[in-house]
Amino acid sequence: MKELSKTYNPKEEEKGIYEAWEKSGAFNPDKLKVPESAPTFSIALPPPNTTANLHMGHAVMIALQDTLVRYHRMKGERTLWLPGTDHAAIATQNVVEKKLKAEKKTKDDLGREKFLKLVEKFVKESQGQITEQMKRLGASCDWSRERFTLDEGLSKAVQTMFIQMYEDGLIYRGQRVVNWCTRCQSTLADDEVEYKEEKAPFYYFKYGPVIIGTARPETKFGDKVIIVHPDDTRYRDMIDKEFALEWINGPITARVIADESADPKLGSGAMTITPGHSLLDFELAKKYQLPVEKIINEQGKLTEAAGTYAGIDVQEARKKVVEILQEKGLVDHIDENYNHNLATCYRCGTALEPLPSEQWFISVDTPTKKLNGKSLKQRALEVATQDEIAFVPSRFKKIYQHWMENLHDWNISRQIWYGHRLPVWERPSEKNPEQKEIHVGEKAPKGKEWQQSSDTLDTWFSSGLWTFSTLGWPKQTEDLKRFHPTSVMETGYDILFFWVARMILMSTYALQEVPFQTVYLHGLVRDEHGRKMSKSLGNGIDPLEMADKYGADATRLSLIIGTTPGNDTRLSEQKIAAYRNFVNKLWNISRFALLQGVEEKETTLAAHSLADQWILSRLQTCIKTSTEHLNAYRFSAAAEEVYTFAWHEFADWYLEVAKTENNPAVIRHVLEHILKMLHPYLPFFTERIWRELYPKGSMLIVSAWPQPQKTFIDLEAEKEFQRFQQTVQSLRAFKAHSGISTEEHAHLLSKTGYATELLEKLTKISFGPAAKDASKLQLGALELSFPRPRVAAFAEWLEKEGERLTQLIAKKEAMLNNPRIPEELRASTQEDISNLKEQLSSLSSS
């Protein structure tokens, strides 16, 4: 007989358990004795940025992925969870620049080489912190294979990919309007733009014969073309004609062009185009061979094209342009409350400028031999339409397809110092010194004056290679052959386009295979009121603080139960504390089990009672159902199944019966299987108890996942025990609501089928001879007699409780019938109704 301490202290236990796992080699598939014929399961961990501590978004990712990894490892599969970090170029450079700013310095004060050394030092410190934080949450990654997007091997992969795509005609340099951040001094891809709604003035100006509308008067200096729809009868006589008109810096001549891009229903139906500061206008300029003039420069100031306004910043220029047009009588009217979607940098929040710039792009529409004459976009669409990748939840398949169908060429060059430098070499052309010769390759060609481009690659380019570059590509390594395509990509739905889509583009091109077989997308973690967690609101919850306070297991389980794919989840400290209570409950269950003499020994497993038959049969259902849920990525349902079985069946019923009818072999058997099924969710606690059951045996982390055993399934025993449960519940309800005292007792009028002693212990009701003034009562499967006043009091409570539950059900059903009920509330309301109906039904058996 063993006895555990009365309380479980996770903070004292978890560190040592993790160190034991690492020492055992359990995280490394090469060190486990897995048969060659065993299936392979692999996940490439979405690499956290090297800029900050882990937050709840990372924690939910770790909890879900570690659940999968531990489950498949226990199934005996060759399992690899490959970790790493992302250099996150713009974000990381911003952090270091802010540190310099506090010292009243800039990166230019240091120069590129010294600045990059400072960044590398920061990154190295941050990487170590992130790794330790992941370990604190129990991540069973193979740390021997840990990678970094800027390490030597991955840098080689990035160079190889760039060169191959360039040689295949998929990477090109060209001038286009790009998203420019004046703060970061770099371009951003279209999907890195964040839009913030704001109210701002919208101006209507008299432009010769038409009225034009704009939110940005400061860009209109060079507008000399009016676009109208060819079918707009108001302007039919003006098409292809020129007009002299007064404008910002004096008289100009404008001409009218008909194009279907003009919307006759929008404003006056006429618009001027600004080719240098709008992607749509830039395309129109190319179509009609119009000059592209840059009005705003990279610092956010007006250029020489603005004449006397050159050098003024954007906000000041806007005021001055409006003032001069008002003086000239060219302001028709101003809408002061126009709802405007302001494009901002996703990293620093600065308003972006659309600027014409010479940059490097990936063409997504160019056919390539590598893809049998298909373009990158066509092949990436095929992946979804032909179900080569499963999307969980499935609705994201259509979202992915829609985004991919509308994908433009991807701008991959960035004007920052930190990151993968482009394998591009330049020198002045001998024929025309104003132009440049370009060479793409790992090294500069022979000759003088070759300089490597100062531009770096978009971070998403390197992370787009993550699933295969981390496995050794471009070399054909054993890891690449064995673990790619990876089994699952589990990540947040918010980076479906940033990252998931790019991995599909890059992998189908480089390897001609998908990067993963399934994409599982989790939602955002919000606070208890449904608000996004943020520093400004002060509503964030630190997963490391919660792990120290309540244990890593409770923190993980709070992020799994109640979480459904593709939907945001709410989290509060109270929820985490509730799952700490569950862990404590399991500790008490284990204490009781150990006190019953379930220590390691050869014990014949046999059912000696109805309760034994029932719990062994229910265990098989729990194993089968929870396993099916895990296989279908229904994490919450799988965890809830085991939670309910462990607490409400094993603890609340079987162990209570076991205090009278003790069968140590059954207790041990069921406890072992609960620990196995809970291990993916509560790895530390379950390993700790396993150590008590097998002090000299193998660790739980590598034990076999349980399989249902048909020999223990006994549906008749389940039904009979269920009748017993209903009887006990009815007796408990009577005791609670009849006012019966300890001196009074019940009289059995029918056979119980169970020991009276067991019923008395479970209900705290004593049985004896019939009272003189007694009434008969049917409770569950039993007919009894009780003192008449107690029966009357109980009948009155039954009637009132029935009315209360009926009213509650009607109220909940009315909520459910409201078409405006939020989707996340619909499921919980339906569950409430089911529970209330079950309670109402149980009253009829009382």
Side-chain angles (χ1 to χ4, degrees):
M1 183 179 77
K2 292 183 178 180
E3 185 172 3
L4 295 174
S5 61
K6 288 186 178 181
T7 56
Y8 173 61
N9 189 331
K11 198 170 183 180
E12 289 179 1
E13 302 279 1
E14 290 174 349
K15 188 173 186 290
I17 291 170
Y18 195 92
E19 288 172 353
W21 285 332
E22 279 197 289
K23 189 177 179 181
S24 74
F27 301 163
N28 187 332
D30 301 335
K31 293 185 178 180
L32 296 179
K33 294 178 181 178
V34 181
E36 280 299 318
S37 58
T40 294
F41 181 84
S42 61
I43 293 181
L45 173 81
N49 291 353
T50 57
T51 53
N53 292 332
L54 296 185
H55 52 66
M56 274 299 174
H58 295 115
V60 72
M61 174 184 79
I62 291 166
L64 293 173
Q65 289 178 38
D66 199 39
T67 294
L68 281 173
V69 166
R70 289 177 184 272
Y71 166 60
H72 284 274
R73 188 186 288 125
M74 292 175 76
K75 283 177 69 180
E77 298 176 10
R78 190 181 303 277
T79 304
L80 172 64
W81 189 13
L82 196 151
T85 47
D86 191 344
H87 66 283
I90 292 177
T92 303
Q93 180 159 321
N94 277 347
V95 169
V96 178
E97 283 193 73
K98 283 179 182 177
K99 289 177 181 289
L100 283 175
K101 189 176 181 180
E103 299 172 11
K104 297 183 179 180
K105 295 178 183 177
T106 68
K107 69 180 193 305
D108 297 303
D109 294 333
L110 273 67
R112 184 168 190 149
E113 189 176 337
K114 286 185 179 179
F115 176 74
L116 290 179
K117 283 184 178 178
L118 192 64
V119 175
E120 286 162 10
K121 182 184 176 185
F122 165 77
V123 166
K124 193 171 182 180
E125 291 170 355
S126 182
Q127 280 176 312
Q129 291 173 1
I130 289 169
T131 298
E132 289 307 310
Q133 288 168 0
M134 289 182 64
K135 290 180 178 182
R136 179 71 187 86
L137 293 174
S140 59
C141 301
D142 182 357
W143 299 106
S144 70
R145 286 176 163 91
E146 186 175 9
R147 304 304 299 269
F148 175 49
T149 47
L150 268 178
D151 70 28
E152 187 177 345
L154 269 63
S155 295
K156 173 70 175 176
V158 166
Q159 285 189 334
T160 302
M161 189 69 154
F162 187 99
I163 293 165
Q164 283 186 9
M165 295 185 92
Y166 177 78
E167 290 173 348
D168 284 352
L170 298 181
I171 286 182
Y172 66 92
R173 187 165 76 164
Q175 181 144 19
R176 287 182 54 188
V177 170
V178 297
N179 307 298
W180 181 266
C181 177
T182 56
R183 159 66 184 80
C184 297
Q185 284 292 292
S186 179
T187 60
L188 281 85
D190 292 341
D191 47 12
E192 291 177 318
V193 178
E194 283 190 355
Y195 292 93
K196 295 180 182 177
E197 190 172 299
E198 66 169 18
K199 286 188 184 293
F202 194 82
Y203 306 90
Y204 293 87
F205 299 130
K206 298 171 185 176
Y207 190 86
V210 300
I211 301 295
I212 62 167
T214 182
R216 303 206 59 191
E218 70 276 10
T219 66
K220 295 296 180 182
F221 285 91
D223 288 20
K224 294 177 183 176
V225 172
I226 303 169
I227 301 288
V228 297
H229 196 278
D231 298 331
D232 194 333
T233 54
R234 292 172 294 178
Y235 305 116
R236 191 168 290 165
D237 294 340
M238 299 183 188
I239 294 171
D240 294 331
K241 292 183 179 177
E242 292 187 343
F243 294 88
L245 56 94
E246 181 65 26
W247 197 224
I248 303 168
N249 279 336
I252 62 168
T253 300
R255 65 184 174 113
V256 180
I257 294 175
D259 191 273
E260 291 184 350
S261 62
D263 185 353
K265 296 177 183 177
L266 184 63
S268 66
M271 64 180 190
T272 58
I273 65 170
T274 312
H277 300 282
S278 160
L279 184 57
L280 172 63
D281 292 2
F282 182 79
E283 296 299 326
L284 284 169
K286 284 203 299 184
K287 183 176 179 180
Y288 295 107
Q289 298 181 328
L290 305 173
V292 176
E293 192 171 31
K294 185 186 283 190
I295 306 298
I296 298 169
N297 65 17
E298 284 75 6
Q299 284 70 44
K301 299 182 183 297
L302 298 195
T303 67
E304 295 298 325
T308 56
Y309 297 95
I312 299 174
D313 69 47
V314 167
Q315 293 300 322
E316 187 182 352
R318 185 174 302 173
K319 293 177 185 176
K320 289 187 176 293
V321 168
V322 173
E323 285 173 5
I324 193 67
L325 291 177
Q326 282 176 326
E327 290 173 8
K328 294 185 176 187
L330 297 178
V331 176
D332 185 80
H333 69 284
I334 301 171
D335 181 354
E336 295 288 351
N337 292 305
Y338 177 73
N339 286 324
H340 176 60
N341 278 329
L342 181 68
T344 64
C345 174
Y346 82 115
R347 285 299 179 193
C348 69
T350 302
L352 296 175
E353 289 292 345
L355 298 181
S357 182
E358 192 169 58
Q359 300 288 339
W360 289 88
F361 296 88
I362 291 180
S363 171
V364 296
D365 293 307
T366 301
T368 175
K369 287 182 181 179
K370 252 187 181 176
L371 298 177
N372 298 319
K374 296 170 187 169
S375 68
L376 293 174
K377 183 194 289 189
Q378 286 173 322
R379 181 67 188 99
L381 275 167
E382 211 171 57
V383 162
T385 57
Q386 296 184 6
D387 293 322
E388 294 176 54
I389 294 177
F391 287 80
V392 182
S394 58
R395 71 176 184 271
F396 281 97
K397 174 183 171 181
K398 286 186 179 179
I399 296 171
Y400 166 84
Q401 284 178 252
H402 177 75
W403 182 84
M404 192 61 72
E405 285 164 357
N406 293 281
L407 182 64
H408 298 295
D409 287 1
W410 171 14
N411 170 213
I412 56 171
S413 49
R414 298 290 179 267
Q415 288 64 53
I416 58 175
W417 288 353
Y418 185 56
H420 290 280
R421 205 159 169 182
L422 269 61
V424 174
W425 307 83
E426 304 170 341
R427 71 176 180 183
S429 169
E430 292 181 3
K431 294 180 180 178
N432 185 352
E434 292 183 3
Q435 294 181 342
K436 290 182 179 178
E437 288 184 54
I438 298 293
H439 172 77
V440 173
E442 290 185 30
K443 297 179 180 179
K446 292 180 180 179
K448 295 179 180 180
E449 296 185 333
W450 287 105
Q451 297 289 327
Q452 188 172 4
S453 170
S454 60
D455 284 1
T456 52
L457 273 168
D458 176 14
T459 301
W460 299 107
F461 185 99
S462 55
S463 59
L465 319 183
W466 186 249
T467 62
F468 55 93
S469 62
T470 52
L471 294 171
W473 188 90
K475 293 180 181 177
Q476 294 302 306
T477 63
E478 284 301 314
D479 272 3
L480 187 62
K481 292 174 189 174
R482 176 167 278 165
F483 296 113
H484 203 275
T486 58
S487 306
V488 184
M489 173 47 61
E490 192 288 319
T491 190
Y493 67 68
D494 53 328
I495 58 171
L496 174 62
F497 313 128
F498 282 115
W499 190 41
V500 174
R502 284 180 166 84
M503 284 191 283
I504 294 171
L505 285 169
M506 302 302 245
S507 182
T508 50
Y509 167 77
L511 278 73
Q512 289 79 58
E513 65 183 20
V514 294
F516 26 74
Q517 296 158 349
T518 299
V519 177
Y520 178 97
L521 299 162
H522 66 252
L524 302 176
V525 181
R526 297 183 178 274
D527 71 8
E528 59 189 317
H529 304 293
R531 301 173 302 177
K532 190 173 181 180
M533 292 186 182
S534 69
K535 288 181 180 178
S536 58
L537 290 174
N539 62 342
I541 300 177
D542 187 329
L544 283 307
E545 284 183 13
M546 294 300 100
D548 285 341
K549 190 171 183 180
Y550 300 106
D553 289 325
T555 305
R556 288 165 58 119
L557 196 58
S558 70
L559 293 166
I560 291 173
I561 292 184
T563 298
T564 52
N567 295 317
D568 294 350
T569 185
R570 296 187 181 192
L571 183 69
S572 64
E573 187 170 343
Q574 290 82 357
K575 183 180 179 184
I576 300 169
Y579 288 111
R580 185 269 315 272
N581 295 340
F582 174 58
V583 173
N584 289 341
K585 179 73 172 180
L586 291 170
W587 181 260
N588 290 330
I589 290 171
S590 304
R591 281 187 83 234
F592 175 83
L594 290 167
L595 286 169
Q596 304 315 301
V598 299
E599 65 270 13
E600 187 177 8
K601 62 181 179 181
E602 291 296 324
T603 311
T604 303
L605 179 64
H608 298 154
S609 67
L610 174 64
D612 289 347
Q613 292 172 306
W614 170 75
I615 197 66
L616 290 172
S617 185
R618 292 297 302 144
L619 174 62
Q620 311 318 308
T621 300
C622 182
I623 293 169
K624 179 177 180 293
T625 306
S626 63
T627 301
E628 287 172 351
H629 284 318
L630 270 181
N631 288 337
Y633 302 101
R634 295 189 292 266
F635 298 98
S636 180
E640 286 178 80
E641 183 74 22
V642 191
Y643 175 99
T644 301
F645 175 77
W647 191 316
H648 301 300
E649 293 186 284
F650 186 55
D652 287 354
W653 285 98
Y654 181 75
L655 292 185
E656 287 302 309
V657 173
K659 291 173 183 177
T660 303
E661 304 172 351
N662 185 23
N663 188 338
V666 172
I667 294 175
R668 179 187 177 91
H669 179 81
V670 177
L671 179 60
E672 281 187 11
H673 283 70
I674 287 173
L675 293 174
K676 286 183 176 183
M677 289 187 288
L678 283 175
H679 182 71
Y681 319 105
L682 307 174
F684 292 104
F685 171 82
T686 53
E687 191 73 72
R688 172 66 183 86
I689 300 300
W690 192 263
R691 190 182 291 169
E692 294 295 331
L693 295 177
Y694 291 99
K696 296 179 182 178
S698 64
M699 302 178 82
L700 176 56
I701 190 174
V702 291
S703 66
W705 184 257
Q707 300 296 322
Q709 295 173 269
K710 289 183 179 179
T711 54
F712 287 125
I713 298 174
D714 190 335
L715 299 182
E716 282 305 314
E718 287 191 42
K719 287 178 183 176
E720 190 176 347
F721 194 81
Q722 187 177 19
R723 287 192 289 271
F724 169 70
Q725 288 175 297
Q726 289 171 346
T727 300
V728 172
Q729 287 168 334
S730 297
L731 283 166
R732 286 172 174 170
F734 180 85
K735 181 177 174 62
H737 302 289
S738 66
I740 192 168
S741 66
T742 54
E743 292 79 20
E744 295 172 308
H745 56 255
H747 177 64
L748 292 170
L749 298 175
S750 61
K751 291 184 179 180
T752 67
Y754 314 100
T756 306
E757 180 190 359
L758 179 59
L759 278 175
E760 287 184 332
K761 282 191 174 181
L762 293 177
T763 64
K764 303 294 189 293
I765 291 177
S766 61
F767 298 98
K772 290 180 181 179
D773 185 20
S775 291
K776 289 182 181 180
L777 190 65
Q778 188 77 32
L779 291 176
L782 287 181
E783 188 179 17
L784 308 97
S785 72
F786 287 92
R788 192 181 302 278
R790 308 309 179 199
V791 175
F794 184 57
E796 184 182 349
W797 174 81
L798 280 176
E799 184 179 354
K800 288 181 179 177
E801 183 65 5
E803 289 175 358
R804 186 185 72 83
L805 291 173
T806 302
Q807 290 171 3
L808 267 175
I809 290 168
K811 185 178 178 181
K812 293 281 184 180
E813 286 179 337
M815 286 176 60
L816 201 62
N817 292 331
N818 184 344
R820 290 180 295 179
I821 185 174
E823 198 58 40
E824 62 270 17
L825 192 57
R826 182 177 295 278
S828 62
T829 304
Q830 185 64 64
E831 188 178 345
D832 289 345
I833 292 170
S834 298
N835 291 335
L836 289 168
K837 285 183 174 178
E838 191 176 326
Q839 290 176 45
L840 186 61
S841 175
S842 70
L843 286 182
S844 62
S845 66
S846 298

